[in-house]
């Protein structure tokens, strides 16, 4: 399955990583060209390049990374033919079913082959996977693909409706995975295919609760035990780096600074208006009156910009606005220039200040893929013993009415179970 | 039928199919608790209130069966199945919790037990004395019967990595660094663990990661662990897997943080006799033993330093970037790097650091989520309690940078997706560093040196991407 050589050879499947959201499979065929919005690449040029290499395009329009295929990369790169199983589900199913090196597994249906690739990797050459697909076109496509990926020794794929015809093996596999619209119809067949000499396991993958309930009932009827159900998800985290959060004393300082500047500006405007002199004195008065009403908003906006700039720029002095300079020169005795640059020092973090990393869940995440229903099947001899014991049990129960076999346990018999109230007894 | 492939049922003898002497076996008790028991020859296993039995009874048994303890012996019990119980007219309307909850008191029961009365008799007695039994719904009657029935029973639990992880998670999750089974499963998949693979592992999670990887390797491949002790690392969880010892030592070797340094020089005395000749047989034995240890250390070190490993898996209490920086040097191209932590902050920091290096492609942090359901006819719902967190994972791919192809500046793009087609060359001068947003976007640029596109947008449909 796939090349394990250090370098890429002709005929290899390579995963081309263009961006995080654009990952494509590529079969290396010298003579062909790979065209993308990140440039043009000749397949022949990629032969001999180590896996994992960054390669620049011939026309300088970008670069790509050439990766070794893994089932996980293949899953995100593959052309989706059906709803595919994602990493979290596949991984959880694999561990619950105890799929490992050498395992024998049944899968139905094959779908787009996502679980097939993952399982073929995990069981390795000493294991075997029997895969069944009832859709002919999908079956043909999958078979071709498994051949291309060198999986034909590990995976046998059969075109068949397993709900009607059952599986091709009997008393053979360690686990069965059913991803079918009506898994309950395949449960009895699965039971036949599972090994009888040891504990075996089954998983049914269904998106709807109604399917789960029918499956659970079919599993129970067929004698499966430890029936349980899980839902699992993987939530990507959005990580960002930001400067340390500001304290409120910094906010307070900034607000006071704003107010001070606004006041200085107002005084300056009054002074300007006065200096314009006699002829326009009346207009100037109107300006002054209007200024008090409208100016603050405008200045605030300016201050906002200014403080933003001050935060981002390293040199605090460049953060001084023209109005600061004007104020400073016109009123040198107030020392506003020095005090404001001192404040700016506080507000803008020194360049050496480390940033903090933040993590949060993305606003929209996948909320549900499917319900994973699991169950175990005991070895045949234990099932036989069990059914004998069970029938004996039923007889006894019928004879003795409430005669129940048991052990004893102090706690728990009370509280929620049988209880009798004083009142009822007395009456 | 398929006569060809897989007609033989022998699977790898890496893990025993049945319970053997010397195995450490997990037993599930009626309370739902799981107990770990070592099966030793001719000894008695005591399960407290459930009873005790002879350990020999378990030897050769397949896993997963339920037994009732009958006079130190074991009898296979029918498996727990879902009981199809029709609800009757009975409700809990007339039933109140009160003092007469249990017809027999605990003391009376103990007295009966001591006098040698069989449990079944006691229960029968108890139910007879229970006037209002008929008031119960069929369901709670069933619950009651089952509850009593299995009180003196237990089930053996197969040591699959799933079961062993669950056992340790419930027992003491801090000892396995909150590594829940779903997270562990994802770690194995993201790490591309396969038979025949070669992996470097840092496991400060009591050996859970080591156990899981060894289990997946099935005796074929290589596992090099780096630990922080100067003797062979103790991975207590390996005991529960019951691997064959000689097989483990053939696959796994360990170094520590000192011996994993390339400039490490051993201060251990030489294995050569000082005089050039062995003075005695004892000295010869002692020195040849020492030589074996030194040779094996030197072999393991050169194996690490010659590199080309397929993956690096880390679940460690140490600063993860220092680990990744040190050990990724020994990975082959396109190898997987997976780091687990119980804390999002640790991995957030790690991701930020890894993004500033062009040898890690697509570092991505994920959190796993798991919910279990009670499945009973007509009463299917999620369990009331669920585990809070199963830990976080960071996954990245080791890549070889090509400075000529990758000239970081040439492929910068603005944060706004509309401004330029991603991947287009964009001279740094054109970059709008003076804009109000300069701060954050220049940050993005430097972080994204290894990628064609700023990763402010993630495809949540494809978590791998």
């Amino acid at each position: 399955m796939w090349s394990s050589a250090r370098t890429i050879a002709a005929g290899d499947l390579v995963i081309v990583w263009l961006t995080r959201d654009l990952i494509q499979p590529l079969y290396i065929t010298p003579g062909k060209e790979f065209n993308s919005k990140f440039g043009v690449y000749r397949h022949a040029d990629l032969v001999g390049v180590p896996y994992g290499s960054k390669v620049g395009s011939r026309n300088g329009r970008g670069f790509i990374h050439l990766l070794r295929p893994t089932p996980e990369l293949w899953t995100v790169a593959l052309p989706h033919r059906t709803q595919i199983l994602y990493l979290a589900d596949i991984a959880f199913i694999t561990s619950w079913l105890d799929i490992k090196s050498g395992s024998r597994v049944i899968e139905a249906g094959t779908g787009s082959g996502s679980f097939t690739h993952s399982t073929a990797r995990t069981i390795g050459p000493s294991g075997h996977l029997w895969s069944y697909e009832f859709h002919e076109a999908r079956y043909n496509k999958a078979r071709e693909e498994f051949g291309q990926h060198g999986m034909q020794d590990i995976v046998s794929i059969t075109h068949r409706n397993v709900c009607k015809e059952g599986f091709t093996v009997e008393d053979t596999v360690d686990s069965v995975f059913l991803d079918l619209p009506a898994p309950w119809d395949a449960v009895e067949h699965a039971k036949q295919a599972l090994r009888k000499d040891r504990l075996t396991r089954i998983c049914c993958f269904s998106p709807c609760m109604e399917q789960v309930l029918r499956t659970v009932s079919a599993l129970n009827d067929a004698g499966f035990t430890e029936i349980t159900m899980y839902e699992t998800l993987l939530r990507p985290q959005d990580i960002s780096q930001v400067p340390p959060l500001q304290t409120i004393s910094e906010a307070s300082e900034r607000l006071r600074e704003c107010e001070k500047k606004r006041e200085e500006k107002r005084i300056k405007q009054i002074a300007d208006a006065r200096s314009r002199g006699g002829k326009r004195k009346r207009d100037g008065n109107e300006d002054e009156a209007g200024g008090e009403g409208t100016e603050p908003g405008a200045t605030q906006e300016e201050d906002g910009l200014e403080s933003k700039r001050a935060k981002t720029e390293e040199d605090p002095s460049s953060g001084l606005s023209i109005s600061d300079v004007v104020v400073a020169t016109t009123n040198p005795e107030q020392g506003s220039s020095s005090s404001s640059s001192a404040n700016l020092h506080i507000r803008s973090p020194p360049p050496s200040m480390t940033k903090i990393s933040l993590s949060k869940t993305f606003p929209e995440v996948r909320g549900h893929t499917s319900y994973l229903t699991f169950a175990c099947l005991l070895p045949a001899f234990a099932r036989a013993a069990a059914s004998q014991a069970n029938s004996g049990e039923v007889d006894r129960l019928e004879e003795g009415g409430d005669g129940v076999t048991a052990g004893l346990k102090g706690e728990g018999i009370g509280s929620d179970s049988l209880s009798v109230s004083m009142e009822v007894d007395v009456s | 039928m398929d006569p060809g492939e897989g007609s033989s049922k022998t699977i790898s003898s890496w893990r025993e199919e049945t319970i053997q002497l010397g195995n450490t076996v997990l037993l599930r008790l009626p309370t739902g608790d799981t107990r770990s028991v070592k099966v030793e020859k001719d000894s008695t296993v005591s399960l407290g209130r459930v009873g005790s039995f002879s350990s020999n009874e378990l030897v050769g048994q397949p896993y997963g069966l339920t037994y009732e303890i009958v006079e130190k012996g074991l009898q296979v019990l029918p498996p727990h199945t879902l009981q199809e119980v029709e609800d009757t007219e009975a409700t809990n309307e007339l039933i109140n919790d009160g003092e007469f909850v249990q017809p027999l008191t605990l003391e009376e029961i103990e007295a009966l037990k001591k006098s040698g009365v069989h449990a079944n008799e006691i229960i029968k007695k108890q139910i007879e004395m229970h006037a209002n039994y008929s008031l119960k719904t069929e369901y709670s009657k069933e619950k009651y019967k089952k509850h009593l029935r299995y009180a003196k029973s237990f089930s053996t639990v197969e040591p699959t990595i799933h079961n062993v992880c669950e056992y340790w998670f419930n027992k003491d999750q801090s000892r396995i660094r909150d590594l829940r089974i779903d997270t562990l499963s994802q770690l194995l998949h993201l790490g591309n663990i396969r038979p025949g693979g070669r992996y470097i592992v840092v496991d400060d999670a009591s050996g859970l990661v080591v156990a899981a990887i060894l289990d997946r390797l099935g005796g074929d491949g290589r596992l090099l662990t780096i630990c922080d002790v100067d003797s062979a690392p103790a991975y207590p969880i390996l005991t529960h897997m019951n691997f064959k010892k000689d097989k483990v030592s053939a696959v796994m070797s360990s170094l520590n943080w000192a011996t994993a340094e390339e400039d490490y020089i051993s201060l251990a005395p030489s294995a050569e006799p000082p005089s050039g000749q062995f003075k005695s047989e004892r000295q010869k034995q002692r020195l040849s033993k020492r030589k074996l240890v030194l040779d094996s250390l030197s072999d393991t070190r050169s194996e690490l330093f010659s590199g080309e490993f397929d993956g690096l898996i880390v679940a460690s209490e140490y600063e993860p970037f220092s680990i990744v920086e040190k050990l990724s040097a020994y990975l082959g191209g396109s190898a997987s790097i997976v780091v687990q932590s119980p804390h999002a902050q640790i991995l957030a920091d790690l991701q930020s650091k890894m993004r500033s290096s062009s040898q890690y492609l697509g570092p991505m942090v994920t959190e796993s989520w798991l919910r279990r359901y009670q499945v009973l006819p007509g009463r299917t719902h999620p369990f009331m309690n669920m585990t809070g967190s199963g830990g976080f994972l960071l996954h990245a791919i080791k890549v070889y940078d090509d400075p000529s192809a990758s000239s970081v500046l040439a492929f910068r793009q603005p944060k706004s997706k509309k401004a330029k087609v991603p991947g287009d060359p964009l001279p740094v001068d054109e970059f709008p560093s003076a804009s109000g947003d300069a701060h954050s976007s220049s940050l993005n640029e430097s972080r994204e040196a290894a990628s064609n596109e700023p990763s402010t947008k993630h495809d949540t449909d494809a978590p791998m991407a």
Side-chain angles (χ1 to χ4, degrees):
Chain A
M1 187 177 177
W2 293 326
S3 166
S4 55
R6 192 174 171 271
T7 56
I8 294 166
D12 280 6
L13 168 67
V14 170
I15 302 293
V16 180
W17 175 296
L18 297 131
T19 69
R20 192 183 277 279
D21 301 323
L22 191 58
I23 298 168
Q24 293 176 2
L26 183 72
Y27 294 96
I28 301 295
T29 321
K32 276 194 174 176
E33 273 191 345
F34 174 68
N35 277 289
S36 75
K37 64 177 175 180
F38 302 117
V40 180
Y41 306 83
R42 282 201 301 230
H43 286 213
D45 293 346
L46 307 180
V47 172
V49 169
Y51 276 102
S53 292
K54 177 189 265 185
V55 174
S57 73
R58 285 165 52 73
N59 54 1
R61 285 183 61 85
F63 58 84
I64 55 175
H65 281 97
L66 302 171
L67 304 179
R68 190 189 301 283
T70 65
E72 288 69 36
L73 280 172
W74 171 254
T75 292
V76 291
L78 68 84
H80 294 196
R81 288 185 287 274
T82 57
Q83 170 75 34
I84 62 161
L85 289 151
Y86 284 108
L87 171 71
D89 288 313
I90 295 179
F92 193 76
I93 293 164
T94 306
S95 74
W96 207 99
L97 294 182
D98 194 32
I99 295 173
K100 55 186 192 295
S101 174
S103 294
R104 289 145 197 282
V105 184
I106 277 179
E107 165 200 43
T110 312
S112 39
S114 193
F115 185 82
T116 323
H117 280 87
S118 175
T119 304
R121 176 262 318 269
T122 305
I123 63 179
S126 64
H128 201 83
L129 173 63
W130 287 266
S131 186
Y132 301 84
E133 174 59 50
F134 75 136
H135 188 280
E136 188 165 12
R138 274 206 298 270
Y139 157 75
N140 285 324
K141 180 73 195 152
R143 198 183 52 168
E144 183 196 333
E145 203 172 86
F146 300 160
Q148 272 178 318
H149 297 180
M151 291 154 59
Q152 56 275 69
D153 293 340
I154 303 175
V155 180
S156 318
I157 179 165
T158 307
H159 175 220
R160 148 178 312 211
N161 182 341
V162 296
C163 293
K164 288 186 186 145
E165 301 168 68
F167 300 98
T168 54
V169 289
E170 206 172 277
D171 186 14
T172 300
V173 298
D174 303 301
S175 52
V176 171
F177 171 62
L178 300 178
D179 178 10
L180 299 168
W184 49 88
D185 286 333
V187 164
E188 274 296 338
H189 299 304
K191 190 177 169 183
Q192 297 307 310
L194 287 164
R195 286 171 63 170
K196 299 196 184 347
D197 61 332
R198 60 159 291 140
L199 181 74
T200 53
R201 298 175 176 86
I202 189 168
C203 173
C204 303
F205 184 84
S206 302
C208 303
M209 187 57 90
E210 288 76 10
Q211 293 171 299
V212 172
L213 299 179
R214 281 191 76 170
T215 306
V216 166
S217 145
L219 288 169
N220 186 50
D221 293 347
F224 284 84
T225 54
E226 304 216 20
I227 302 172
T228 185
M229 199 253 280
Y230 285 93
E231 228 187 323
T232 182
L233 291 170
L234 187 140
R235 309 200 299 176
Q237 297 283 302
D238 184 10
I239 305 231
S240 51
Q241 273 199 304
V242 298
L245 306 185
Q246 286 196 347
T247 61
I248 47 167
S249 63
E250 287 166 321
S252 154
E253 194 65 48
R254 196 187 68 238
L255 290 168
R256 277 196 248 177
E257 193 64 24
C258 284
E259 192 183 348
K260 194 162 133 198
K261 274 189 207 143
R262 208 160 53 230
E263 182 57 18
E264 280 164 358
K265 191 165 183 176
R266 197 182 65 85
I267 292 167
K268 181 176 156 284
Q269 276 171 341
I270 295 168
D272 284 354
R274 292 233 171 92
S275 70
R276 266 182 242 137
K279 269 195 241 166
R280 296 183 60 197
K281 196 177 177 183
R282 226 181 117 207
D283 297 345
N285 280 343
E286 275 171 10
D287 277 353
E288 194 187 319
E292 274 177 343
T294 56
E295 282 291 319
T299 3
Q300 212 155 21
E301 196 170 78
E302 201 181 302
D303 281 343
L305 274 176
E306 194 185 310
S307 62
K308 199 167 189 180
R309 217 177 298 143
K311 264 185 283 171
T312 53
E313 286 173 26
E314 289 172 10
D315 182 2
S317 64
S318 66
L320 289 174
S321 70
I322 290 160
S323 68
D324 280 323
V325 178
V326 172
V327 172
T329 43
T330 48
N331 304 303
E333 65 278 4
Q334 286 181 1
S336 65
S337 172
S338 60
S339 78
S340 73
S341 71
N343 291 335
L344 283 164
H345 260 300
I346 294 165
R347 275 191 254 152
S348 61
S352 62
M353 183 92 85
T354 49
K355 298 198 175 69
I356 55 172
S357 298
L358 300 179
S359 158
K360 65 171 186 174
T361 308
F362 280 93
E364 270 186 61
V365 294
R366 179 168 280 270
H368 176 69
T369 48
S370 268
Y371 294 113
L372 312 175
T373 309
F374 295 101
C376 291
L377 190 65
L378 289 174
F381 81 87
R383 274 184 272 145
S387 62
Q388 271 174 13
N390 258 341
S391 58
E393 189 58 34
V394 169
D395 293 345
R396 203 143 35 114
L397 280 176
E398 278 165 1
E399 283 167 30
D402 284 344
V404 183
T405 60
L408 287 175
K409 197 163 70 71
E411 47 118 344
I413 289 177
S415 55
D416 72 320
S417 29
L418 312 172
S419 61
V420 184
S421 81
M422 291 284 274
E423 287 79 3
V424 171
D425 263 4
V426 170
S427 65
Chain B
M1 293 297 118
D2 238 2
E5 55 269 294
S7 42
S8 137
K9 275 186 205 157
T10 51
I11 65 163
S12 65
S13 51
W14 179 235
R15 225 164 59 189
E16 298 285 0
E17 285 283 285
T18 54
I19 300 171
Q20 303 294 316
L21 281 177
N23 282 180
T24 303
V25 179
L26 297 177
L27 304 180
R28 192 177 296 127
L29 306 185
T31 53
D33 293 344
T34 305
R35 194 77 70 78
S36 165
V37 159
K38 182 148 196 204
V39 181
E40 272 161 325
K41 199 170 173 16
D42 301 329
S43 66
T44 299
V45 177
S46 177
L47 296 175
R49 194 182 273 170
V50 177
S52 55
F53 61 94
S54 160
S55 60
N56 296 350
E57 296 270 322
L58 281 178
V59 177
Q61 291 281 311
Y63 286 100
L65 303 192
T66 303
Y67 304 91
E68 187 176 14
I69 302 175
V70 183
E71 290 160 2
K72 296 248 171 190
L74 296 179
Q75 250 173 33
V76 176
L77 263 192
H80 295 254
T81 54
L82 297 180
Q83 301 300 322
E84 289 285 352
V85 192
E86 294 303 314
D87 256 354
T88 61
E89 306 257 310
T91 66
N92 60 5
E93 189 188 346
L94 297 174
I95 301 173
N96 297 310
D97 288 345
E99 285 166 36
F100 299 138
V101 153
Q102 206 179 326
L104 293 173
T105 64
L106 201 60
E107 290 75 21
E108 285 167 338
I109 292 167
E110 284 301 322
L112 282 170
K113 273 167 106 178
K114 272 185 192 142
S115 67
V117 178
H118 191 268
N120 287 356
E121 293 301 312
I122 303 176
I123 294 312
K124 206 169 170 184
K125 200 161 189 170
Q126 223 181 344
I127 287 180
E128 278 164 9
M129 288 171 70
H130 219 302
N132 279 35
Y133 186 70
S134 56
L135 283 180
K136 295 298 291 181
T137 63
E138 282 302 313
Y139 172 58
S140 43
K141 278 185 194 170
E142 199 54 46
K143 209 164 128 189
Y144 185 54
K145 289 183 211 164
K146 271 187 83 82
H147 174 76
L148 299 173
R149 171 91 217 243
Y150 286 89
K152 268 183 91 68
S153 72
F154 69 92
S155 312
T156 53
V157 178
E158 190 178 5
T160 66
I161 196 65
H162 192 283
N163 292 337
V164 169
C165 180
E166 211 168 63
Y167 166 74
W168 279 82
F169 193 84
N170 294 333
K171 182 180 138 117
D172 189 353
Q173 82 181 65
S174 64
R175 281 188 69 189
I176 54 168
R177 300 186 57 75
D178 298 353
L179 196 39
R180 200 173 53 197
I181 182 58
D182 52 329
T183 317
L184 179 64
S185 313
Q186 289 161 18
L187 176 145
L188 296 171
H189 279 237
L190 288 171
N192 194 26
I193 309 299
R194 57 181 175 83
R198 296 171 69 242
Y199 307 93
I200 308 174
V201 173
V202 183
D203 182 339
D204 298 332
S206 303
L208 180 61
V209 177
V210 166
I213 294 176
L214 284 174
D215 193 43
R216 288 277 169 100
L217 289 181
D220 179 21
R222 195 76 179 114
L223 181 56
L224 212 159
T225 72
I226 318 281
C227 62
D228 63 352
V229 289
D230 59 1
S231 52
Y235 293 130
I237 290 179
L238 286 186
T239 5
H240 282 119
M241 301 302 295
N242 297 311
F243 293 133
K244 294 183 174 168
K245 282 236 162 50
D246 50 328
K247 294 228 175 186
V248 170
S249 54
V251 177
M252 182 170 82
S253 298
S254 300
L255 293 174
N256 63 38
W257 289 116
T259 54
E261 297 276 359
E262 294 194 22
D263 60 3
Y264 167 84
I265 295 161
S266 174
L267 299 178
S270 158
E272 301 301 321
S275 58
Q277 276 194 327
F278 296 113
K279 276 190 239 159
S280 65
E281 193 58 29
R282 247 183 85 194
Q283 189 196 33
K284 191 180 172 184
Q285 272 182 10
R286 192 161 44 95
L287 289 184
S288 61
K289 204 172 167 188
R290 187 185 289 167
K291 187 167 173 358
L292 221 63
V293 172
L294 287 178
D295 285 355
S296 129
L297 174 65
S298 131
D299 287 351
T300 310
R301 293 184 69 221
S302 33
E303 188 186 355
L304 174 67
F305 302 149
S306 53
E308 294 294 321
F309 281 84
D310 297 322
L312 168 64
I313 316 294
V314 179
S316 173
E317 61 200 43
Y318 291 95
E319 199 285 305
F321 191 62
S322 65
I323 298 175
V324 169
E325 279 282 270
K326 168 142 196 61
L327 297 177
S328 65
Y330 308 123
L331 295 177
S334 206
S336 282
I337 300 169
V338 189
V339 182
Q340 182 271 350
S341 175
H343 309 289
Q345 292 90 331
I346 301 286
L347 295 185
D349 271 342
L350 175 63
Q351 197 214 44
S352 303
K353 286 174 186 161
M354 287 175 80
R355 283 170 100 174
S356 61
S357 163
S358 50
Q359 56 170 321
Y360 310 113
L361 183 63
M364 171 84 167
V365 176
T366 54
E367 181 188 11
S368 35
W369 182 92
L370 184 69
R371 170 178 262 176
R372 190 175 179 184
Y373 287 72
Q374 164 188 301
V375 272
L376 282 173
R379 286 172 297 273
T380 296
H381 60 73
F383 276 102
M384 299 302 176
N385 295 315
M386 62 190 275
T387 60
S389 173
F392 297 82
L393 290 179
L394 177 142
H395 172 251
I397 298 171
K398 152 88 181 261
V399 289
Y400 298 120
D401 193 17
D402 175 0
S404 69
S406 72
S407 127
V408 172
L409 302 183
F411 300 113
R412 287 189 155 193
Q413 333 85 49
K415 198 179 179 186
S416 156
K417 287 193 85 176
K418 285 171 223 155
K420 280 268 179 180
V421 176
D424 271 2
L426 181 68
V428 67
D429 307 36
E430 269 179 48
F431 195 77
S433 58
S435 81
D437 208 18
H439 188 88
S440 59
S441 50
S442 67
L443 181 77
N444 246 318
E445 288 311 301
S446 59
R447 282 196 311 210
E448 284 302 318
S451 174
N452 270 319
E453 174 177 87
S455 66
T456 43
K457 178 189 163 291
H458 291 255
D459 183 358
T460 51
D461 276 356
M464 254 303 295

